[in-house]
Amino acid sequence: SQTIHQWPATLVQPVGSPLSLECTVEGTSNPNLYWYRQAAGRGLQLLFYSVGIGQISSEVPQNLSASRPQDRQFILSSKKLLLSDSGFYLCAWSVRGGPRTQYFGPGTRLLVL
Amino acid sequence: GENVEQHPSTLSVQEGDSAVIKCTYSDSASNYFPWYKQELGKGPQLIIDIRSNVGEKKDQRIAVTLNKTAKHFSLHITETQPEDSAVYFCAASISSYGKLTFGQGTILTVHP
């Protein structure tokens, strides 16, 4: 069966510090991968999606970037965090070329102080 | 782009009652509509989905209906239980890459 992992689970970072969040998927090959941000009490905002290694599409201009160095690894990064980057970050995957169901990871809660 | 509106934003029911959450979408090309349940501090979990070639789908106490003409779809939960308390999100998709546009969520509280 497929599983999706995210780490860390919680992160507290000062403004201006760098960020690296990691997501890995097991039990599937060539997945589509997604990064979402969820502000408190709000819906999910798609940040990036990827259909293959090195292929990243950005949905909204922001202080963040994404990379996919391996087929089942998706990384969210920032060089300098802003207060507004605080939120709950969710990674998700779906079957490439298959049903569009997305499966979410457990999320990373980021607090920028 | 696609826009999804969800209401109500909060819903409070007594155990055993039914709960209905409604969503409207803007792009008539949307053809896939999932519903997710999110418990506090966790990632959303898919509970049911429907495709545009189907008008209704049911899974035990949960059902989803779709009206393509009116561009709205609804989640129905019957015989609600306290463990149904969570945030529910609807979404719509027209993309072959599986991009989803989410509604703003409904906080459902089921009182024992």
Side-chain angles (χ1 to χ4, degrees), chain A residues 18-82:
Chain A
L19 173 73
S20 180
L21 303 181
E22 189 165 342
C23 170
T24 59
V25 182
E26 296 178 355
T28 187
S29 297
N30 306 315
N32 293 330
L33 295 172
Y34 312 85
W35 276 113
Y36 290 86
R37 177 168 57 203
Q38 185 176 32
R42 302 284 301 275
L44 288 81
Q45 180 187 37
L46 180 64
L47 303 175
F48 301 95
Y49 71 93
S50 171
V51 298
I53 296 174
Q55 301 179 60
I56 310 295
S57 295
S58 175
E59 286 294 293
V60 294
Q62 60 207 309
N63 185 42
L64 302 169
S65 62
S67 62
R68 185 170 177 174
Q70 300 180 42
D71 181 48
R72 290 171 288 178
Q73 184 184 31
F74 206 19
I75 297 173
L76 185 69
S77 304
S78 174
K79 293 182 179 179
K80 288 186 177 181
L81 283 169
L82 306 172

Side-chain angles (χ1 to χ4, degrees), chain B residues 5 10 22 27 33-34 57 63 80-81 84 86 93-94 96 102 108:
Chain B
E5 297 289 334
T10 60
K22 299 181 180 181
D27 195 328
F33 308 92
K57 184 176 179 180
T80 53
Q81 302 168 3
D84 293 329
S93 173
I94 59 172
S96 60
F102 283 84
L108 172 65

Side-chain angles (χ1 to χ4, degrees), chain A residues 32 34 36 38 41-44 46 49 51 59 88 90 94 97-107 109, chain B residues 31-32 36 38 40-46 49 51 87 89 93-100 102-105:
Chain A
N32 293 330
Y34 312 85
Y36 290 86
Q38 185 176 32
R42 302 284 301 275
L44 288 81
L46 180 64
Y49 71 93
V51 298
E59 286 294 293
F88 193 44
L90 290 156
S94 67
R100 282 170 283 172
T101 305
Q102 288 189 22
Y103 302 94
F104 285 83
R109 188 162 303 281
Chain B
N31 54 14
Y32 173 64
Y36 287 85
Q38 185 177 26
L40 190 62
K42 298 184 178 180
Q45 299 296 311
L46 179 75
D49 57 12
R51 286 170 170 76
V87 182
F89 292 96
S93 173
I94 59 172
S95 168
S96 60
Y97 296 141
K99 288 168 52 178
L100 296 175
F102 283 84
Q104 287 300 299

Side-chain angles (χ1 to χ4, degrees), chain B residues 37-57:
Chain B
K37 174 184 180 182
Q38 185 177 26
E39 297 179 342
L40 190 62
K42 298 184 178 180
Q45 299 296 311
L46 179 75
I47 55 172
I48 196 167
D49 57 12
I50 192 168
R51 286 170 170 76
S52 59
N53 58 345
V54 176
E56 183 175 359
K57 184 176 179 180

Side-chain angles (χ1 to χ4, degrees), chain B residues 52-70:
Chain B
S52 59
N53 58 345
V54 176
E56 183 175 359
K57 184 176 179 180
K58 189 174 182 180
D59 182 4
Q60 298 183 334
R61 297 186 296 110
I62 295 173
V64 57
T65 58
L66 171 64
N67 183 327
K68 287 210 70 179
T69 302

